[in-house]
Amino acid sequence: MIRNPILPGFNPDPSICRVGSDYYIATSTFEWYPGVQIHHSRDLANWTLVRRPLERKAQLDMRGEPDSCGIWAPCLSYADGQFWLVYTDVKRYDGNFKDAHNYITTSPTIEGDWSDRIYVNSSGFDPSLFHDDDGRKWFVNMLWNHRSEGYGGAPKTPSFDGILLQEWDAQSRSLIGPVKNIFAGSPLGLVEGPHLFKRNGWYYLTTAEGGTGYDHAVTMARSRSIDGPYEMHPNLYLITSKDHPKAALQRSGHGQYVETPDGQFYHTHLCGRPLEPHRRCTLGRETSLQKCVWKDDDWLYLENGTVVPDVEVSALNGAVPIEKPRRTDYNFDGGKLPMDFQWLRTPQPERLFSLSQRPGHLRLFARESIGSWFEQSLVARRQEHHRFRAETVIEFLPDTYQQVAGLTHYYNRYKFHALAVTLHEKLGRCLTILSCAGNYPDGRLVFPIDGGVAIPDGRIQLSMEVTNNDLQFFWQAEGMGAWHAIGPVLDAGVISDEGGRGEHGSFTGAFVGMFAFDTSGRAQIADFDWFNYDEL
C-alpha cells in the first residue's frame, strides 16, 4: 500500500522518471540550496532522498532573489544513456514580471556530478523536455504575459498565456524551428506545469491549472500531432480536490505520468494537508502518487473512479511503507552536512558554516540578518509532521545586541519565530524571542519577551514544540536537568503558504533549524553540537 503523501513536508511540483525498475522524483526547492530534491524508490511506496544536483555557481546562484523565487518545477527524464534535468531559476516574483530563465543539466547517473547549466529560454516557467520515439526532443514551458493584471500574490488567467512548444537540438544545444503555442488550457485557467508523453499514437499533455491553492488541478489533453490541436479529457481534470473541501489531500495538482515495467500506471501530484480552523497547510505542498487505469476510450482515469486523490492506493507487489524512526539525531561528526539540511540561496556555503573548524560541531559564521536575500547563516531541515519537537545546544558569546544566534521555525523573512542567545545592555547574555507572524510587506518584528531573560555562562539548550497551530519554546542551561518554557504560545500555523499574505503569496514550507546573524559585520561564530527532531 502506498500511503500519501509519499514525500511529506515541502516537496512540490513532482516530476517522476523511471529507469528500469528504479523510480526517481524531482521536486522544486525554490530559494533553498542546493537546488532540486531527487528521491529514489524501487517500489513506489518507500522513498529516499539521494541527491540535490544543483550545487555550484555554474549551475545555480540565487543570491538576491526574493522569497519563493529560485527553482520552480524541475522536469527529470532519461534518454540517450543519461539523465536530463530541466529547471527554471525565477529572479522576480512581485509585480507584473517574473524574469524566469530555463536551463538544462545532464548526468550519466543521479548520484554523480551534473553538468554546468545550459541556457534554453526565458519566455515562461515550468519547463519540460520530452524525448519522442523518433529521436527528436521537444521543449515545453508556460508563456508568461506581463501585460495582464496578474501579479505576485494575485495571479490572473491572462498572465498564463498558454503552453509553448519548440524543438530542442541536443547537438547544437539550442532550440530550433518555430515556436508554437499548443494549448490554452481549460476554462479553469492559470495553465502551467506541462508534461508530454506518448501512448498508442496519441500525444498526451498534462498541465497544472487553477493556481497552486485550493482550486488546483491536473488537466489532461491529447492530440495525434505533437503541436496540436489538443482535445480535452472527458472530465477535464484527471486529479483535483477543488470541489471537495473535506478531502484529506487538498490543493491537488501539478504532476506527471509514469508506467511500471509490468504495465501499471501512476500519476504524481502535489497536495496540501490543511489544519483547522484556518485551513493553513503548515507542511507546505507535498508529493502524492495516485494509481490510474486506461479505459477503452484511450483516456487515463484515477483507479478510484473519481477525480479526487486517495490517501492510500495500491502499490507494486504489495509493497508497504516502512515506518521511519520517530526521532532523528544529528551530531555533525561526519564532516559533511547531513542530507536533510539545506541553507538559503548562496553557492558559497563556506561563508555561512563549517563542519571542520571545530570537528563534531556545526559552526555558523553570523552574517546578515535573518531574512536576508543574500548571505543568511541559517541551516535547517523540513518540518514533516504536524506535531514535532526540535532541540539543539549552542555555544555563543555575543558582545553586542547585534549578534544573535539560536533556533528558528522558519518560512521566509515575513514568517518565522526564533529563540536565540544575544546580549542586552542591562541583562548581559540573555535569551530573546524574535517573531514575524506574516507581517507583509513590512516584515515588522515583535519581541514577545521584551528585553529578554538573563542566562548563565556555558552551553544553552534550546527547544521548541509544535502542536498543529501552536508553538512553545523551551530552554535550559546544560546540565541543569530541567526545561523551562519561555514566552507565550506562538502561532505556528502562520509558518505556512497561507499564512500572512495568503495562499498565492508564497510557495515553500516550514523549516526548523539553527541560525546566526551579526549586523555589526564581524561574523561572530556560533557552535552547535547536535540537533534532534522528534515526531510527537
Side-chain angles (χ1 to χ4, degrees):
M1 186 67 68
I2 295 170
R3 185 175 301 124
N4 285 312
I6 53 173
L7 305 181
F10 162 47
N11 276 290
D13 312 324
S15 169
I16 191 167
C17 170
R18 178 179 67 84
V19 181
S21 57
D22 293 290
Y23 298 87
Y24 300 94
I25 289 179
T27 55
S28 301
T29 43
F30 290 80
E31 66 264 36
W32 290 90
Y33 213 98
V36 179
Q37 295 217 123
I38 299 179
H39 285 78
H40 169 256
S41 178
R42 298 295 297 272
D43 60 13
L44 298 179
N46 297 283
W47 295 84
T48 302
L49 178 63
V50 293
R51 193 72 167 95
R52 294 194 188 98
L54 306 181
E55 58 186 354
R56 61 184 185 272
K57 186 177 180 180
Q59 298 168 319
L60 181 64
D61 186 350
M62 300 181 289
R63 285 174 290 188
E65 295 184 12
D67 297 319
S68 290
C69 287
I71 300 301
W72 287 20
C75 173
L76 182 67
S77 59
Y78 185 83
D80 309 324
Q82 64 181 354
F83 290 93
W84 303 69
L85 181 66
V86 183
Y87 62 96
T88 307
D89 182 5
V90 178
K91 298 295 185 182
R92 179 173 175 176
Y93 181 61
D94 282 339
N96 285 55
F97 294 97
K98 285 292 177 284
D99 294 323
H101 308 309
N102 296 317
Y103 301 96
I104 293 175
T105 179
T106 60
S107 174
T109 64
I110 289 289
E111 294 83 1
D113 288 334
W114 289 69
S115 67
D116 291 351
R117 65 188 182 187
I118 303 165
Y119 174 75
V120 182
N121 67 17
S122 301
S123 54
F125 46 84
D126 291 6
S128 182
L129 186 65
F130 170 63
H131 310 270
D132 209 342
D133 50 18
D134 62 1
R136 299 173 76 181
K137 302 182 187 301
W138 299 91
F139 195 88
V140 288
N141 61 268
M142 64 81 68
L143 173 63
W144 181 258
N145 185 350
H146 68 273
R147 300 171 301 175
S148 164
E149 294 180 355
Y151 59 91
K156 296 289 190 297
T157 291
S159 298
F160 295 70
D161 206 12
I163 303 301
L164 296 185
L165 172 79
Q166 191 174 10
E167 188 172 358
W168 171 258
D169 180 58
Q171 296 301 315
S172 64
R173 305 202 306 180
S174 63
L175 294 169
I176 60 173
V179 183
K180 294 186 178 181
N181 194 324
I182 62 171
F183 186 64
S186 79
L188 184 59
L190 303 173
V191 62
E192 56 185 338
H195 288 291
L196 283 163
F197 67 95
K198 193 174 185 181
R199 186 176 188 272
N200 291 345
W202 289 102
Y203 290 95
Y204 291 89
L205 175 68
T206 57
T207 63
E209 290 196 289
T212 194
Y214 286 93
D215 287 335
H216 211 23
V218 174
T219 300
M220 191 173 216
R222 72 181 182 187
S223 173
R224 289 295 187 184
S225 173
I226 194 167
D227 57 359
Y230 281 83
E231 61 175 305
M232 300 297 302
H233 191 286
N235 295 335
L236 290 184
Y237 316 114
L238 176 64
I239 303 170
T240 186
S241 306
K242 69 184 184 67
D243 300 316
H244 302 270
K246 299 299 182 182
L249 304 178
Q250 290 292 314
R251 306 174 64 186
S252 299
H254 199 136
Q256 190 175 19
Y257 170 80
V258 69
E259 294 187 16
T260 70
D262 61 351
Q264 300 185 62
F265 317 106
Y266 292 85
H267 204 287
T268 62
H269 65 97
L270 68 77
C271 65
R273 291 179 287 167
L275 289 174
E276 298 300 335
H278 304 299
R279 284 173 64 79
R280 298 180 297 194
C281 298
T282 57
L283 303 183
R285 298 176 303 156
E286 307 172 281
T287 285
S288 287
L289 186 65
Q290 300 300 319
K291 185 72 179 293
C292 299
V293 295
W294 287 98
K295 293 189 177 181
D296 292 340
D297 59 0
D298 271 341
W299 283 109
L300 189 68
Y301 297 84
L302 292 188
E303 187 182 51
N304 65 21
T306 76
V307 297
V308 183
D310 284 330
V311 173
E312 292 189 345
V313 299
S314 55
L316 302 180
N317 301 318
V320 296
I322 299 171
E323 292 295 331
K324 296 182 179 179
R326 299 179 69 90
R327 178 182 176 92
T328 307
D329 297 325
Y330 307 96
N331 56 26
F332 308 120
D333 286 341
K336 185 177 181 181
L337 192 68
M339 179 68 94
D340 290 340
F341 288 88
Q342 287 179 274
W343 61 94
L344 288 162
R345 293 181 175 84
T346 178
Q348 295 181 302
E350 66 276 7
R351 286 186 50 81
L352 306 183
F353 62 87
S354 171
L355 290 126
S356 61
Q357 279 199 5
R358 187 181 178 187
H361 294 74
L362 173 65
R363 170 163 287 182
L364 296 187
F365 308 116
R367 296 294 181 186
E368 296 174 343
S369 60
I370 189 168
S372 167
W373 291 342
F374 291 87
E375 282 196 322
Q376 181 180 173
S377 297
L378 190 157
V379 174
R381 56 150 290 165
R382 283 158 176 74
Q383 177 185 341
E384 294 182 356
H385 307 90
H386 288 127
R387 301 165 63 95
F388 75 92
R389 181 181 176 95
E391 300 177 359
T392 191
V393 62
I394 183 174
E395 294 178 62
F396 186 56
L397 295 174
D399 57 34
T400 170
Y401 62 81
Q402 291 184 303
Q403 298 170 346
V404 182
L407 178 69
T408 184
H409 191 215
Y410 187 87
Y411 187 102
N412 62 24
R413 65 161 56 180
Y414 306 108
K415 295 183 279 193
F416 69 88
H417 305 298
L419 173 64
V421 177
T422 188
L423 192 75
H424 187 271
E425 296 90 335
K426 295 180 180 179
L427 296 171
R429 199 172 75 131
C430 67
L431 290 174
T432 185
I433 294 178
L434 303 82
S435 180
C436 185
N439 185 258
Y440 180 88
D442 293 332
R444 185 178 298 111
L445 291 181
V446 297
F447 301 88
I449 56 174
D450 299 323
V453 173
I455 54 175
D457 294 339
R459 292 166 33 129
I460 300 296
Q461 293 180 223
L462 308 174
S463 71
M464 71 171 73
E465 283 189 7
V466 168
T467 306
N468 298 324
N469 289 302
D470 296 331
L471 180 153
Q472 178 67 64
F473 283 120
F474 300 87
W475 77 280
Q476 68 172 348
E478 190 174 49
M480 299 299 289
W483 286 101
H484 308 284
I486 183 170
V489 173
L490 300 172
D491 183 5
V494 79
I495 315 299
S496 65
D497 291 355
E498 297 85 356
R501 192 178 180 183
E503 71 173 4
H504 288 114
S506 49
F507 309 115
T508 56
F511 281 69
V512 56
M514 299 146 286
F515 77 98
F517 66 81
D518 184 351
T519 55
S520 77
R522 287 179 282 135
Q524 182 67 289
I525 60 172
D527 287 336
F528 296 85
D529 194 353
W530 46 260
F531 183 94
N532 301 326
Y533 178 94
D534 275 290
E535 178 189 0
L536 297 178

